[in-house]
Amino acid sequence: MYRTHTCGELRAGHINQETTLSGWVQYNRDFGGMTFIDLRDRYGITQLVFGMDINAELCERARAMGREFVLQVSGTVMERSNKNLNIPTGEIEVIVKELTLLNPAKTPPFTIEDDTDGGEELRMKYRYLDLRRKPIKNNILLRHQLAQSVRRYLTDNGFLEIETPVLIKSTPEGARDFVVPSRVHAGDFYALPQSPQTFKQLLMMSGYDKYFQIVKCFRDEDFRADRQPEFTQVDCEMSFIHQQDILDMFTGFVRHIFKDVRGVDMGDIPVLSYADAMRRYGSDKPDMRYGMAIQYLDIKQDITEFPPFNEAIAAKGSIAGLLVENGAAYTRKQIDALTEFVKEPSRGMKGLIYAKWNGDGTMASSVGKFFTEEQLKEWFAQFGGKQGDMILITTGDTKKVRKVLGDLRLELGNQLGLRDKNKFAALWVIDFPMFSYDEENHSWTFEHHPFTSPKPEHLDKIFSHPGEVLANAYDFVINGSECCSGSIRIHDSEVQAKIFQAIGLTEEEAREKFGFLLSALEYGAPPHGGCAFGFDRLCALMAGTDSIRDVIAFPKNNSGKDLMLDAPSPIAAKQLGDLHLKIKE
């Protein structure tokens, strides 16, 4: 056999036992009379010892073993004199009696270490080497543990794991589809699923009651820093439920997986309406690891001499800001940087007003010539501030003010170290708008997807006031990242027809695109709903990494390319011909 133990298995209890190990050379250290090799496999590292006084020929051979050579060794487990308590095997070493070179290796293009000297593009080109590094290996192991935890919880709660098709019909809703030409049916195309949405609804209509799937999804979106053209989600659906049933089930789900995989108690998980989230945090995915909610200044004094406040009040906008605890320590240079932050083109504010209540009781402010210290202290009283704190305020259109303060809140959270990756805080956001207005096409469109149920009490507003219609939709947010989205579905064919009509789809167009679902609704559909968790995002959050690429075995880069396989790439002219496609000139 190649091994009797793994490289992470041996402990003090194995001393004086014979062992056979196999793995890769991590380090080779030659000290003249002694050579030490750290042998690595998936499970850990074991120190091997070769001595000139023990076996000179073997020691000479060991010196020639380079990094990433694949070895098999046999020897005796001994107590290590200079113990390394930073690794599980650090109390022992193996005195080698036999050495077999299983495979030599070229010098890697970057070091296979925790802190490698390889850039991301190089590491992705040689991903099979990058996967040998401990941080990436640990992320892949965590991904496996999370998948098993997901399956245990859902299975224990009566969900069935059911596979849905990968080759489906293309629909124009949502992001662009990846399409697959059919060789047999000339001129026709399959699409890769953006999600199993319609299939899981059909499974509910088929009576399967509770479904889940850890499933690959595909979206041909414009490239973003942390998006992948193919991604994995935990897709779920339940029958005979209300929204609260979903929230209860998947609050339990999140508590289970974080406790099971990370040993973390998620604590209280609040529920906020979309309107409240935007009002308090300027975002529908607020980071709840810290406070610093947006507050609105009620101006009680004469403000006629301060134009920004006058303009905001006249335009029925907002005067709002953030209380930064202990923020009086911010220097003028730091405050100027924050001012430039809100003035960036993507935010477009004219400036930022600050007021600091210094530790000695004095006030410092950018509006000192307009307001007295007593008036500024009234601001602090409204915001719940104290000596040592700082208030940052901006004014203007309410929607814009909230968005900018939401961004500023995150920036301050980063600067003040409030966004600890080892701390987790979650919430549900509910009652999203049903429709959003497309300014470019001058029409209403779905905020989520066309199968989301409107609030029953808002059905009569679908045509008269679509902007006021709220959806039975919900998102689950962890640390400011949307990890789950879902809704109660429409199970009434007449309501579904109204929703299609509201966004301008004729009955014929609706039948052409979603005829199979509309037909199924006419054969007795139960009330149902569900959600989908971004599995890659959950993995990244648990691993404490900002990039989902770090938790995917073979990811694409920021441009959607697989640098290792060099994909996408051209295909042969004959293949194009077989698929009835024209050859690109």
Side-chain angles (χ1 to χ4, degrees):
M1 63 179 69
Y2 280 109
R3 60 188 179 188
T4 58
H5 301 87
T6 69
C7 294
E9 186 177 350
L10 298 172
R11 301 289 188 274
H14 295 95
I15 289 173
N16 295 324
Q17 292 185 20
E18 299 300 307
T19 186
T20 298
L21 305 175
S22 293
W24 288 262
V25 175
Q26 179 75 19
Y27 298 112
N28 188 327
R29 304 182 298 281
D30 179 13
F31 292 99
M34 302 284 288
T35 295
F36 297 91
I37 289 178
D38 287 346
L39 195 68
R40 182 195 74 241
D41 64 9
R42 170 188 137 187
Y43 306 94
I45 288 178
T46 297
Q47 178 170 280
L48 310 179
V49 180
F50 302 83
M52 293 295 289
D53 58 340
I54 302 171
N55 188 321
E57 180 185 356
L58 197 62
C59 190
E60 289 287 352
R61 287 182 58 211
R63 290 173 181 171
M65 300 296 109
R67 284 196 174 198
E68 302 308 309
F69 278 36
V70 186
L71 308 182
Q72 180 191 39
V73 297
S74 295
T76 305
V77 182
M78 301 297 291
E79 184 177 3
R80 187 167 168 173
S81 56
N82 57 332
K83 294 180 175 58
N84 179 2
L85 301 183
N86 293 320
I87 60 174
T89 60
E91 292 186 274
I92 60 90
E93 59 192 10
V94 174
I95 308 300
V96 178
K97 299 177 180 177
E98 297 179 21
L99 167 65
T100 303
L101 174 61
L102 299 177
N103 224 332
K106 294 169 63 176
T107 301
F110 54 86
T111 55
I112 313 297
E113 296 176 5
D114 290 7
D115 297 317
T116 182
D117 57 357
E120 185 176 58
E121 295 288 293
L122 182 65
R123 290 188 288 109
M124 289 185 70
K125 183 177 180 180
Y126 296 93
R127 185 62 169 179
Y128 45 87
L129 296 179
D130 197 32
L131 285 165
R132 296 181 186 177
R133 294 195 307 118
K134 184 178 179 180
I136 303 297
K137 179 198 71 176
N138 287 346
N139 289 347
I140 300 302
L141 294 178
L142 181 147
R143 188 181 179 101
H144 164 76
Q145 292 163 5
L146 179 56
Q148 301 313 307
S149 185
V150 164
R151 286 190 166 96
R152 281 193 297 272
Y153 178 87
L154 294 174
T155 300
D156 289 348
N157 280 277
F159 286 78
L160 302 176
E161 185 170 8
I162 304 174
E163 294 178 338
T164 54
V166 175
L167 295 175
I168 65 171
K169 178 183 176 68
S170 179
T171 58
E173 267 60 50
R176 285 182 294 272
D177 289 328
F178 281 102
V179 294
V180 181
S182 171
R183 178 185 61 81
V184 176
H185 303 282
D188 288 340
F189 294 80
Y190 297 104
L192 302 181
Q194 296 183 32
S195 81
Q197 180 63 44
T198 54
F199 291 104
K200 65 180 180 179
Q201 289 190 243
L202 291 170
L203 285 168
M204 296 304 99
M205 297 171 200
S206 302
Y208 284 87
D209 198 62
K210 291 179 181 177
Y211 140 94
F212 86 96
Q213 187 179 187
I214 301 178
V215 61
K216 280 279 189 177
C217 301
F218 308 85
R219 292 181 187 171
D220 189 7
E221 296 181 302
D222 293 335
F223 301 120
R224 300 188 197 177
D226 202 35
R227 294 286 182 91
Q228 290 281 296
E230 57 177 306
F231 57 95
T232 305
Q233 66 184 38
V234 182
D235 200 57
C236 306
E237 200 79 0
M238 302 168 67
S239 292
F240 302 109
I241 46 84
H242 295 288
Q243 177 174 284
Q244 191 59 49
D245 298 310
I246 298 281
L247 270 55
D248 291 343
M249 177 63 72
F250 290 98
T251 294
F253 169 82
V254 171
R255 290 187 185 283
H256 168 82
I257 61 174
F258 271 85
K259 189 69 174 178
D260 193 28
V261 177
R262 281 294 309 266
V264 170
D265 185 343
M266 290 298 287
D268 293 335
I269 298 179
V271 179
L272 276 184
S273 70
Y274 170 85
D276 279 347
M278 297 304 294
R279 179 178 58 83
R280 295 172 60 184
Y281 301 103
S283 170
D284 60 0
K285 46 180 186 292
D287 189 337
M288 302 297 285
R289 283 174 288 185
Y290 59 105
M292 207 185 294
I294 297 171
Q295 302 195 59
Y296 297 83
L297 194 61
D298 180 14
I299 298 297
K300 297 177 181 177
Q301 63 267 23
D302 182 3
I303 60 165
T304 56
E305 295 183 14
F306 191 56
F309 285 3
N310 279 328
E311 292 167 9
I313 292 172
K316 296 184 179 179
S318 289
I319 303 169
L322 303 171
L323 175 69
V324 185
E325 294 185 7
N326 303 313
Y330 264 66
T331 65
R332 183 58 186 269
K333 183 178 179 180
Q334 289 174 307
I335 295 171
D336 287 345
L338 294 175
T339 302
E340 291 304 311
F341 177 83
V342 303
K343 290 168 67 175
E344 288 177 2
S346 61
R347 300 180 183 91
M349 301 306 287
K350 293 181 180 179
L352 192 62
I353 300 160
Y354 77 87
K356 297 197 297 183
W357 192 352
N358 296 317
D360 61 6
T362 62
M363 287 283 178
S365 170
S366 57
V367 290
K369 67 179 180 179
F370 295 98
F371 302 99
T372 66
E373 285 200 359
E374 287 305 313
Q375 289 172 323
L376 295 178
K377 285 182 180 178
E378 170 62 24
W379 295 8
F380 276 89
Q382 288 188 37
F383 278 41
K386 61 185 186 306
Q387 280 188 217
D389 294 345
M390 174 174 67
I391 289 175
L392 300 173
I393 291 174
T394 191
T395 69
D397 173 74
T398 297
K399 186 175 180 181
K400 186 175 181 179
V401 164
R402 288 173 175 175
K403 170 66 170 63
V404 169
L405 289 176
D407 290 351
L408 182 60
R409 176 178 179 268
L410 294 177
E411 176 64 18
L412 288 164
N414 289 330
Q415 291 184 10
L416 297 169
L418 302 175
R419 306 184 73 191
D420 183 353
K421 292 179 181 178
N422 291 310
K423 181 179 178 182
F424 301 96
L427 80 156
W428 286 101
V429 179
I430 64 172
D431 297 347
F432 282 83
M434 182 77 182
F435 304 105
S436 59
Y437 191 72
D438 186 338
E439 296 285 353
E440 185 176 338
N441 296 314
H442 305 290
S443 63
W444 290 94
T445 186
F446 302 114
E447 185 72 19
H448 282 68
H449 57 65
F451 317 113
T452 297
S453 171
K455 295 282 185 183
E457 61 270 25
H458 291 176
L459 277 172
D460 59 354
K461 295 183 178 181
I462 288 175
F463 298 107
S464 60
H465 299 88
E468 298 178 11
V469 178
L470 296 182
N472 263 322
Y474 34 82
D475 284 356
F476 195 82
V477 179
I478 304 175
N479 291 4
S481 178
E482 177 203 315
C483 293
C484 164
S485 187
S487 68
I488 300 300
R489 322 303 185 188
I490 297 169
H491 67 277
D492 184 310
S493 59
E494 290 186 8
V495 175
Q496 185 68 76
K498 285 182 180 180
I499 296 299
F500 285 142
Q501 186 182 351
I503 62 153
L505 277 182
T506 66
E507 185 177 348
E508 292 74 21
E509 289 172 328
R511 284 284 171 187
E512 179 185 350
K513 295 173 181 177
F514 305 108
F516 62 96
L517 185 64
L518 294 173
S519 176
L521 286 172
E522 295 168 351
Y523 285 91
H528 62 286
C531 60
F533 281 82
F535 187 69
D536 305 309
R537 289 189 185 183
L538 285 175
C539 289
L541 278 166
M542 288 190 176
T545 178
D546 294 324
S547 174
I548 62 172
R549 292 189 294 275
D550 291 339
V551 295
I552 297 173
F554 298 101
K556 309 291 188 292
N557 71 359
N558 286 352
S559 300
K561 284 189 68 71
D562 186 322
L563 299 179
M564 184 182 70
L565 298 179
D566 191 26
S569 60
I571 62 173
K574 183 178 184 307
Q575 285 179 282
L576 288 171
D578 290 343
L579 296 170
H580 317 286
L581 299 175
K582 292 182 179 180
I583 299 174
K584 185 178 179 181
E585 297 296 336

